[in-house]
Amino acid sequence: MAYLLLTLLLAALAYVGWRLTRVSANRPRTRVIGPDDDPDFLRRLGHEDNPRP
């Protein structure tokens, strides 16, 4: 009887751990906006306030 309870407990812990890893894997990640994603930044690069030699 003790082995059955131990097996059920280990199975329940494995299931909970598996579900927690699935939930964290499906969480949307925050998006980092870089300079190449910013149209205003790209527009400013072509103006005379930023001359290229």
Side-chain angles (χ1 to χ4, degrees):
M1 185 68 175
Y3 289 118
L4 179 63
L5 289 177
L6 180 64
T7 305
L8 287 175
L9 180 66
L10 288 176
L13 285 175
Y15 177 74
V16 168
W18 176 71
R19 293 296 292 173
L20 286 176
T21 57
R22 298 275 298 170
V23 166
S24 66
N26 290 335
R27 182 180 307 149
R29 291 172 176 76
T30 59
R31 184 167 180 259
V32 176
I33 297 177
D36 56 339
D37 294 334
D38 187 5
D40 291 330
F41 176 79
L42 294 174
R43 220 172 282 122
R44 284 191 309 257
L45 281 179
H47 289 286
E48 291 140 18
D49 59 344
N50 244 348
R52 291 188 175 185

